[in-house]
Amino acid sequence: MTAIKETSTIQENKQYALEKCPVTYVMEKIGGYWKPIIIYHLSSGPLRYSELKRAIPAVTEKMLIQHLKQLEADNLVIREAKPVVPPFVTYSLSASGNGLLPIIEAMATWAFKDKEDGFNIS
Amino acid sequence: MTAIKETSTIQENKQYALEKCPVTYVMEKIGGYWKPIIIYHLSSGPLRYSELKRAIPAVTEKMLIQHLKQLEADNLVIREAKPVVPPFVTYSLSASGNGLLPIIEAMATWAFKDKEDGFNIS
DNA sequence: CATTGTGCATACTTTAGGGTAAGTACTTGT
DNA sequence: ACAAGTACTTACCCTAAAGTATGCACAATG
């Protein structure tokens, strides 16, 4: 993962925001471009790595694996690997990851309504 | 064959994600470092620009005004200026902006629980 | 007459994160 | 022999968003 420079105000401010703001906390966990999409795809059941890859064609392998690793590190998804060859790895949502689904749904509801109402081109 | 890149994949992918994913849509609106914090501070009532500035000392004026402008453009906050000098400008949440509060609350609940459960190394 | 306080604007720099391209190890199929 | 499929890894590049620094117009205050 990208090495973080410990002497940047960006990081300091992120710390501030993380403590002050639960939204930022959540963002840290699901804020990557593909994370919510991955979570969405896993919400209907476990998937293999290659299944995810095919389900989200636009994502590159690097991004997919990177986000999966982060999600795993944050205990949102669970990785299970069978020691066979060719490899057999499945990803599924953890309890914590499942807990995000209502939030995502609430967002979807808001987004839908906002898109409707917002015919106001200012 | 001067292959000048006129379209970035980042933008293409953002488009993809925006259409496919309500979370990304919401992120686009409240995804800035300071936006949720601004919204939080406005949730208890309208504030003047300078009051916001003092309420969130860590934010720079550029970021504050930039995010306020974006929030205004997205119809999440309402700017009201009195044509007096010194200027008197207040910001308040719009109906749409208020609609975000339940989401933020849901996030707060999740974040709180996640922090508790997850005394995970990281 | 210089400072303070309002609410911004704008040029320049940094950095975190996303993207590209290529390689790895191992086996099965042709 | 070689391609294809599995699940990654690594080195490097590019950009959008965040940050730094400064300036503006105006009035009241010391």
Side-chain angles (χ1 to χ4, degrees):
Chain A
M1 283 164 219
T2 29
I4 24 185
K5 209 179 181 183
E6 55 291 311
T7 56
S8 92
T9 37
I10 292 186
Q11 284 310 309
E12 279 167 35
N13 282 341
K14 203 170 231 167
Q15 267 318 106
Y16 171 86
L18 269 169
E19 278 153 32
K20 289 276 175 188
C21 180
V23 179
T24 306
Y25 181 85
V26 174
M27 299 291 192
E28 276 293 296
K29 310 256 170 182
I30 64 167
Y33 270 22
W34 305 103
K35 283 186 191 174
I37 297 172
I38 292 169
I39 291 171
Y40 169 75
H41 279 284
L42 290 180
S43 71
S44 40
L47 288 176
R48 293 184 64 176
Y49 172 80
S50 53
E51 288 174 319
L52 271 173
K53 208 175 73 178
R54 275 189 295 269
I56 318 170
V59 76
T60 66
E61 291 199 63
K62 182 203 161 196
M63 278 298 104
L64 182 54
I65 200 72
Q66 192 176 99
H67 284 150
L68 282 171
K69 295 288 170 198
Q70 286 170 15
L71 288 168
E72 195 197 351
D74 290 336
N75 297 310
L76 299 182
V77 308
I78 295 161
R79 193 189 99 112
E80 275 167 303
K82 287 178 181 149
V84 295
V85 62
F88 193 95
V89 181
T90 56
Y91 291 92
S92 54
L93 288 184
S94 71
S96 197
N98 260 290
L100 285 167
L101 296 178
I103 297 177
I104 290 179
E105 225 175 291
M107 285 190 187
T109 307
W110 183 87
F112 187 69
K113 197 164 169 260
D114 192 65
K115 276 183 197 166
E116 258 190 349
D117 299 356
F119 262 75
N120 33 15
I121 300 121
S122 34
Chain B
M1 301 259 202
T2 28
I4 293 173
K5 219 180 182 180
E6 47 202 59
T7 52
S8 86
T9 36
I10 292 186
Q11 285 311 309
E12 279 167 33
N13 283 342
K14 205 170 228 166
Q15 266 319 105
Y16 173 86
L18 269 169
E19 278 154 32
K20 289 276 174 189
C21 181
V23 179
T24 306
Y25 181 85
V26 174
M27 298 293 193
E28 276 293 297
K29 310 257 170 183
I30 64 167
Y33 272 23
W34 305 104
K35 283 185 189 173
I37 296 171
I38 292 169
I39 291 171
Y40 169 74
H41 279 284
L42 290 179
S43 71
S44 40
L47 287 176
R48 293 184 65 177
Y49 173 80
S50 53
E51 289 175 317
L52 271 173
K53 208 175 72 181
R54 275 189 294 269
I56 317 169
V59 75
T60 66
E61 290 200 64
K62 184 204 161 194
M63 279 295 105
L64 182 55
I65 200 70
Q66 193 176 100
H67 283 150
L68 281 170
K69 294 290 170 196
Q70 285 171 15
L71 288 168
E72 195 197 350
D74 288 337
N75 297 310
L76 299 181
V77 309
I78 296 162
R79 193 189 98 111
E80 276 167 302
K82 284 176 183 153
V84 295
V85 63
F88 192 96
V89 180
T90 57
Y91 291 91
S92 55
L93 287 184
S94 72
S96 196
N98 261 290
L100 285 168
L101 296 180
I103 297 178
I104 291 178
E105 225 175 292
M107 285 191 188
T109 307
W110 184 88
F112 187 69
K113 198 165 169 259
D114 192 66
K115 276 182 197 166
E116 257 191 351
D117 300 354
F119 253 75
N120 39 1
I121 326 89
S122 89

